Amino acid sequence: MDGIVARPTGEADEQEKPLWAAVVSLSLGVFGLVTAEFLPASLLTPMSADLGVTVGAAGQSVTTTAVVAAIAGPAIVVYTGRFDRRNVLLALTALLIVSSLIAGFASSLSMLLVARFLLGIGLGGFWALSLALAMRLVPGRLMPRAMAIVMSGVSIATVCAAPVGAWIGATLGWRYAFLLAAAVGIVTFIVQALTVPRLPPKGTTGLDTILNVLKRPAIRLGLATILLVVTGHFAGFTYVRPFLEQVPQFGVEGITAILLAFGVGGFFGNIAGGFLAERSTRLAMMSAAAGVAVTTLVLALAGALPAVAIVATAAWGFAFGALPVSVQSFLSRAAGDEAEGAGAATLTTFQIAISTGAILGGLLVELQGPAGVFLFAAVAAMLGTSLVSVYRERALQAAE
């Protein structure tokens, strides 16, 4: 779900005065969208019971959003190039509001999937455009700071989405979690309308740009790593609540605390991944992927022990938190002057991996139970680790 977007061709002029309030509004948008995307992971049990479907079927609400986002992100970049970017931004935020309201009042699985379809459009488009928009809101020398602010929305959502969703689902009902996401969207829309200036379109990105960047070996390595590790991760993460309920047999309060630990681990993992990537992007990717593999394997083999489940889940969050920033750093160095095309490809790969993980996880949880899902996650992540470790150093020169 992390894009890598360079200043579009033709934007030699840069914002002289940083518009920090507008940058914060982008972070709010990322926070709202990522929170809404991952709410089902902590609400599958009550959602499936209320809608009268299996846990595996309810889990496809994650799949729907991911599949649509994978298509919508590059499509919006390519086909909305002639529109004012501010208007496109507001339209995407409006989709967060509408989709969350529909989900909150959904009376059937089909209605829920419609809501998740609309969220996928908003999520994909926003991710594909957000960093490019940030580049137009601050001077070039302040871009690292602006990008850090935007990405902080992801870190906060990672910490908050699962535990807050679980708590709201237990106290008020799962529908109120989506209504809260709609409220976040309304606040975000107002802040963006007040702070983001008109941003006439400048430069274009075509499908040929995205295809050309895929010819680079290091880019293909990074995307393949994403596909393997993220597929495994989301096969497990989508069904983490049923696992914690059925295997170590935690109650709602315990699950909420464990998911909070997962999120906090992810927050610090993101920081650690950034520091390590400054020294070696390849080592950072290998470490993050190996961490996901080891922790999910521990959950699969010894997750019935409550203490092991708690520690392993928190460590799993730390390991996965380091992955996006590690892969992003690797791909941005490998992409060079075609970072925007690499960003669209990265977004699509992330969403394909998320949807594939949710689909495979749904099949495995029905056939083998939650523990089998985590064994698959460990194998997929280990394959990703091996892929990076055996890749020839000569082919990595563009990324190191």
Side-chain angles (χ1 to χ4, degrees):
M1 354 186 230
D2 298 286
I4 308 168
V5 185
R7 189 177 298 277
T9 304
E11 290 188 29
D13 56 312
E14 66 175 31
Q15 178 70 34
E16 294 182 359
K17 182 179 180 182
L19 303 178
W20 292 118
V23 174
V24 170
S25 78
L26 297 182
S27 183
L28 279 174
V30 170
F31 168 77
L33 286 161
V34 172
T35 296
E37 181 182 17
F38 296 136
L39 275 178
S42 61
L43 299 169
L44 280 186
T45 302
M47 284 171 58
S48 62
D50 192 22
L51 297 176
V53 298
T54 66
V55 170
Q60 301 318 304
S61 60
V62 177
T63 306
T64 300
T65 301
V67 170
V68 174
I71 300 170
I76 287 174
V77 169
V78 173
Y79 295 111
T80 66
R82 62 189 180 89
F83 297 107
D84 188 300
R85 312 321 275 166
R86 177 181 184 272
N87 295 336
V88 175
L89 174 67
L90 292 174
L92 296 171
T93 302
L95 284 175
L96 166 62
I97 301 169
V98 173
S99 65
S100 298
L101 289 174
I102 294 174
F105 292 102
S107 58
S108 65
L109 179 61
S110 59
M111 190 173 176
L112 176 65
L113 294 180
V114 168
R116 303 296 290 180
F117 182 95
L118 295 176
L119 178 66
I121 297 175
L123 178 74
F126 198 101
W127 265 121
L129 294 175
S130 59
L131 296 184
L133 293 173
M135 291 178 180
R136 298 182 62 178
L137 297 174
V138 300
R141 69 182 187 278
L142 296 177
M143 264 309 301
R145 190 182 307 178
M147 293 172 68
I149 292 173
V150 173
M151 295 303 296
S152 69
V154 181
S155 298
I156 297 172
T158 301
V159 173
C160 295
V164 171
W167 180 79
I168 293 176
T171 56
L172 300 175
W174 66 269
R175 298 177 184 277
Y176 283 89
F178 287 100
L179 295 180
L180 178 61
V184 171
I186 292 172
V187 172
T188 300
F189 187 94
I190 294 172
V191 174
Q192 288 174 349
L194 293 175
T195 61
V196 178
R198 291 184 66 253
L199 297 170
K202 292 183 178 181
T204 58
T205 296
L207 290 174
D208 57 336
T209 304
I210 301 174
L211 294 175
N212 286 336
V213 80
L214 294 177
K215 297 178 181 179
R216 302 185 182 186
I219 295 292
R220 293 198 297 270
L221 168 67
L223 297 181
T225 303
I226 291 171
L227 190 61
L228 288 167
V229 181
V230 176
T231 294
H233 168 79
F234 278 97
F237 183 71
T238 303
Y239 299 97
V240 65
R241 176 166 177 166
F243 174 86
L244 293 173
E245 288 176 332
Q246 298 174 27
V247 180
Q249 298 182 345
F250 286 104
V252 173
E253 291 183 358
I255 292 172
T256 301
I258 293 171
L259 292 177
L260 177 61
F262 177 94
V264 172
F267 179 82
F268 287 105
N270 182 61
I271 297 173
F275 279 115
L276 186 56
E278 290 181 1
R279 292 157 178 78
S280 170
T281 56
R282 180 170 175 262
L283 178 60
M285 281 202 305
M286 287 179 58
S287 300
V292 173
V294 171
T295 52
T296 52
L297 181 62
V298 169
L299 286 169
L301 299 179
L305 300 174
V308 172
I310 293 170
V311 174
T313 302
W316 176 27
F318 181 90
F320 185 75
L323 183 71
V325 65
S326 301
V327 176
Q328 179 179 0
S329 299
F330 180 89
L331 290 172
S332 64
R333 294 185 183 184
D337 58 348
E338 293 186 356
E340 186 170 343
T346 303
L347 166 71
T348 300
T349 305
F350 255 102
Q351 298 305 324
I352 290 173
I354 291 170
S355 61
T356 302
I359 291 172
L360 294 177
L363 294 173
L364 289 169
V365 80
E366 299 290 343
L367 294 174
Q368 299 181 352
V373 176
F374 283 90
L375 184 59
F376 166 78
V379 172
M382 187 55 66
L383 288 174
T385 307
S386 301
L387 186 66
V388 180
S389 66
V390 302
Y391 203 76
R392 294 184 181 276
E393 189 68 27
R394 178 176 56 84
L396 291 169
Q397 290 176 354
E400 290 289 345

